[in-house]
């Protein structure tokens, strides 16, 4: 991430994160009288986050607030 301090004492920052994990997955077997036996498989394909920071610098102190957004993309497969 990066932080930028303006001459007015205002501080702006941003942090990002992107992951493409290949080992986060799970498989579950199921059975139902209506559809028979089957398998669900779920894999996390991509996930990421972005967070912003807004603050003010006063003497030797930094007062700030932060907010962000996180997401993930999953691939689900059902076989019977």
């Amino acid at each position: 991430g990066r932080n930028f301090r303006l001459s007015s004492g205002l501080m702006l920052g941003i942090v990002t994160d992107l992951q493409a994990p290949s080992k986060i997955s799970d498989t579950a077997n199921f059975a139902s009288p209506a559809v028979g036996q089957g398998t669900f498989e779920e894999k996390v394909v991509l996930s990421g986050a972005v967070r912003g920071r807004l603050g003010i610098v006063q003497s030797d102190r930094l007062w700030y607030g932060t907010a962000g957004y996180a997401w993930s993309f999953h691939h689900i497969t059902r076989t019977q």
Side-chain angles (χ1 to χ4, degrees), residues 16-61:
T16 62
D17 179 28
L18 179 65
Q19 298 177 5
S22 61
K23 297 187 181 198
I24 300 177
S25 65
D26 195 13
T27 303
N29 297 317
F30 67 91
S32 167
V35 295
Q37 294 184 347
T39 303
F40 278 112
E41 182 180 12
E42 178 183 17
K43 290 184 180 183
V44 178
V45 180
L46 285 172
S47 65
V50 63
R51 187 178 66 199
R53 184 177 304 130
L54 177 63
I56 188 161
V57 178
Q58 292 179 337
S59 301
D60 60 346
R61 293 193 173 109

Side-chain angles (χ1 to χ4, degrees), residues 9-21:
L10 192 64
M11 193 272 306
L12 305 170
I14 188 165
V15 178
T16 62
D17 179 28
L18 179 65
Q19 298 177 5

